[in-house]
């Protein structure tokens, strides 16, 4: 049966724990926590073309949005649940030194007792890169070198790096291996190749079903060509709606993981909706999707 997770980041921060506990109780498999560190003015980013309709779309990140520190949210959710998996959807890899991300991953892994996965991507919001002093045109190279360092850091023991972006002498993040799966996000050719080359999985935004199948086939071929075809790999697809028909179609196509956007569970503004109503809607959605309590 398709395992279904959901995104939690459109909720009020003081309700994250209750929403996560309810999601665990009614059978959701995983909670996805996203991030933006700053919210540039909408006018500064209202230039992104919708790839499906060829038109300017409303800004994904607007100045009136509310964002919270991703790692703090993960700590709250990990301490409030016992079975619910937790994933970042996604950490923008170039925003932090990879050793900082490695330390955060090791901490999240310990707090969640192995339930944590790291979703990563190279990022897309140029104004946010500018605000953080990170060169937007180097985001791909920063991501690739950062992921290599992250892998070595989490493998345990002493490591060093002589790469051009993050050189450092011998040091240690963890004395023993830390088993954190890395799920790569993005649909660009570079992102798809990155997922196939170094990822333990791929997370996709809402895409037409046929495009998902095409990208899955491309990743499969790239992984086979790299000798990784026999290694475990997860595909996490954002569902177009929280409907059993969608879930069944994906399951029939061989997908094992789906992601429901919380706004599709509760289309009213989650920040203005009473907590009891949100918890009830989570239960109703789980039943509609055929989920079973753990």
């Amino acid at each position: 049966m398709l395992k279904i997770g959901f995104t939690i980041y459109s909720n009020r921060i003081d309700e994250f724990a209750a929403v996560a506990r309810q999601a665990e109780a009614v059978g959701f498999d995983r909670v996805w926590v996203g991030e933006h560190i700053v919210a540039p003015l909408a006018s500064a980013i209202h230039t992104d073309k919708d790839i499906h309709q060829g038109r300017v779309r409303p800004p994904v990140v607007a100045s009136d949005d509310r964002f919270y520190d991703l790692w703090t949210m993960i700590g709250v959710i990990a301490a409030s649940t016992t079975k619910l998996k937790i994933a970042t959807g996604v950490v923008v890899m170039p925003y932090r030194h990879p050793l900082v991300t490695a330390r955060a991953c090791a901490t999240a892994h310990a707090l969640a007792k192995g339930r944590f996965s790291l979703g990563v991507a190279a990022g897309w919001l140029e104004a946010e890169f500018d605000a953080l002093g990170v060169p937007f045109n180097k985001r791909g190279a920063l991501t690739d070198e950062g992921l290599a360092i992250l892998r070595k850091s989490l493998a345990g023991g002493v490591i060093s790096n002589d790469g051009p972006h993050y050189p450092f002498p011998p040091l240690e993040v963890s004395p023993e291996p830390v088993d954190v799966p890395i799920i790569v996000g993005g649909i660009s050719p570079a992102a798809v190749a990155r997922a196939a080359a170094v990822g333990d999985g791929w997370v996709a935004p809402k895409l037409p079903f046929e495009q998902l199948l095409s990208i899955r086939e491309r990743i499969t071929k790239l992984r086979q060509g790299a000798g990784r075809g026999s290694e475990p790999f997860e595909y996490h697809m954002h569902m177009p709606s929280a409907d059993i028909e969608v879930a069944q179609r994906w399951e029939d196509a061989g997908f094992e993981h789906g992601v429901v956007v919380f706004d599709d569970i509760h289309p009213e503004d989650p920040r203005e909706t009473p907590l009891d109503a949100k918890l009830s809607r989570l239960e109703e959605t789980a039943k509609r999707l055929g989920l079973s309590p753990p």
Side-chain angles (χ1 to χ4, degrees):
M1 182 177 178
L2 192 73
K3 298 177 181 178
I4 299 178
F6 75 104
T7 62
I8 198 171
Y9 36 79
S10 56
N11 283 276
R12 287 174 38 180
I13 193 168
D14 58 331
E15 296 177 347
F16 278 6
V19 169
R21 284 193 296 266
Q22 175 74 338
E24 178 178 73
V26 300
F28 282 93
D29 174 68
R30 189 180 312 246
V31 59
W32 292 83
V33 184
E35 80 163 345
H36 279 289
I37 295 174
V38 298
L41 293 179
S43 59
I45 62 170
H46 195 88
T47 57
D48 193 28
K49 293 289 185 179
D50 187 294
I51 61 173
H52 304 304
Q53 301 181 31
R55 59 178 174 78
V56 175
R57 69 185 184 191
V60 176
V61 182
S63 58
D64 61 347
D65 284 334
R66 297 293 177 265
F67 300 104
Y68 308 106
D69 176 66
L70 172 144
W71 298 106
T72 305
M73 292 190 289
I74 289 170
V76 169
I77 296 167
S80 304
T81 57
T82 59
K83 296 182 175 64
L84 188 70
K85 297 183 181 70
I86 306 167
T88 57
V90 289
V91 162
V92 181
M93 197 70 195
Y95 285 173
R96 302 173 181 83
H97 194 290
L99 292 177
V100 175
T101 302
R103 170 59 61 213
C105 284
T107 302
H109 172 81
L111 281 173
K113 296 180 173 60
R115 295 178 284 137
F116 174 70
S117 298
L118 178 73
V120 300
W124 63 272
L125 183 54
E126 186 171 359
E128 192 167 29
F129 277 80
D130 292 344
L132 298 173
V134 180
F136 184 73
N137 62 349
K138 294 183 179 180
R139 66 192 186 282
L142 292 169
T143 298
D144 290 334
E145 186 175 332
L147 284 173
I149 293 169
L150 183 64
R151 284 288 194 195
K152 291 193 295 183
S153 300
L154 298 180
V158 176
I159 66 167
S160 61
N161 188 62
D162 59 0
H165 303 294
Y166 304 112
F168 54 82
L171 51 79
E172 184 179 271
V173 173
S174 174
E176 66 277 330
V178 180
D179 184 16
V180 174
I182 296 176
I183 303 172
V184 178
I187 61 174
S188 70
V192 169
R194 185 177 295 120
V198 302
D200 300 306
W202 177 63
V203 57
K206 291 184 179 183
L207 295 173
F209 184 69
E210 292 73 17
Q211 189 175 0
L212 291 175
L213 295 178
S214 176
I215 294 178
R216 182 178 67 175
E217 181 180 4
R218 198 185 325 160
I219 291 175
T220 298
K221 289 181 178 178
L222 288 170
R223 294 182 66 244
Q224 290 173 343
R228 301 191 66 214
S230 61
E231 298 176 13
F233 194 88
E234 296 181 348
Y235 293 89
H236 295 266
M237 314 289 108
H238 276 69
M239 298 170 62
S241 57
D243 294 321
I244 187 62
E245 292 81 7
V246 174
Q248 189 63 58
R249 185 185 189 193
W250 286 11
E251 185 177 335
D252 291 344
F255 289 112
E256 297 180 347
H257 300 274
V259 183
V260 175
V261 176
F262 194 85
D263 289 2
D264 291 339
I265 298 174
H266 210 298
E268 298 82 4
D269 186 347
R271 290 170 298 182
E272 303 299 329
T273 303
L275 177 60
D276 288 348
K278 287 190 280 189
L279 300 184
S280 296
R281 189 67 64 88
L282 270 171
E283 184 174 12
E284 294 168 5
T285 303
K287 290 179 178 177
R288 185 170 68 250
L289 291 169
L291 304 182
S292 301

